[in-house]
Amino acid sequence: MCEPTSIAIALTVASTAVTAYGQYQQGKAQEANLKYQASLQEYNAKVAENNAILSRQAAEADADTIDRQRKVALAKQAAGFAAAGVTINEGSTLDVLGDTAAEFEMDRLNRLHQGQLGANAATIQAQQDRANAVGLLAQGRQAAAAGRTAAFGTVLAGGAKLAGNIPSSSPTPSARTVPVPRPLSAASGVSMFPSAGPP
């Protein structure tokens, strides 16, 4: 049959081990979760970078379309002036064609500028997502380290508790109670001096 002390020691060891393992696993789980979140941030960063590229490409495609529209509009205006018998290369006709070309060029440049602004915003978002990913990975490493430290502390505390509960091999001497003699008195019938009676 097990002694109560042996049972207490076994329970302390088991409790310490389970608690320490739980703390270690909790740190690892937090690290895994933060790594997953960091991978999502990396994914978001890549999406933002792709959006920056697409923003520029869409703006360039629109600018090319505006450029073609400009050429068509100028050709139509020139044809209209020619059909009306107006000289194209001088005077107000040249001013009208120049104004038309300038309007289209302004639209083209505005569209390129919008594309660049969108690309810049997406690039900044990508940088923020990457910075968040780095921060999450650092937090994950800290969570894992905290779990290991907590587990180690639990093991040490369990060891200290065990050291206090284990009986030593040599018995400690206990204080004995020694009766203290009472003072003698005549009333007790005992005299400190023998009586001088007949031999």
Side-chain angles (χ1 to χ4, degrees), residues 9-182:
I9 290 171
L11 289 175
T12 300
V13 169
S15 171
T16 299
V18 168
T19 303
Y21 183 72
Q23 291 167 328
Y24 174 77
Q25 285 300 104
Q26 183 179 10
K28 293 299 282 181
Q30 286 176 343
E31 180 184 31
N33 180 38
L34 290 166
K35 279 183 178 179
Y36 175 71
Q37 290 181 36
S39 69
L40 290 180
Q41 290 294 312
E42 278 291 338
Y43 175 80
N44 290 341
K46 194 62 182 169
V47 168
E49 286 174 346
N50 289 340
N51 288 341
I53 293 168
L54 291 174
S55 180
R56 279 192 209 95
Q57 289 176 344
E60 288 167 3
D62 290 346
D64 289 344
T65 300
I66 292 169
D67 200 35
R68 282 191 300 275
Q69 290 171 346
R70 175 184 59 83
K71 290 175 183 176
V72 169
L74 288 174
K76 284 183 180 178
Q77 279 183 334
F81 287 138
V86 178
T87 306
I88 297 173
N89 293 334
E90 60 184 42
S92 61
T93 307
L94 195 58
D95 290 339
V96 169
L97 292 173
D99 288 346
T100 301
E103 286 296 320
F104 274 101
E105 184 61 18
M106 182 78 71
D107 288 346
R108 179 181 169 280
L109 292 175
N110 280 338
R111 184 61 191 98
L112 288 172
H113 180 66
Q114 289 172 353
Q116 188 58 49
L117 289 178
N120 290 347
T123 300
I124 289 169
Q125 184 62 52
Q127 291 169 348
Q128 289 174 343
D129 290 338
R130 284 235 160 73
N132 288 341
V134 169
L136 288 167
L137 288 173
Q139 288 178 26
R141 288 189 296 273
Q142 290 172 350
R148 288 191 299 270
T149 302
F152 185 66
T154 298
V155 169
L156 287 180
K161 188 174 181 182
L162 279 175
N165 285 337
I166 296 175
S168 63
S169 57
S170 60
T172 55
S174 60
R176 288 188 329 169
T177 306
V178 178
V180 177
R182 293 182 313 189

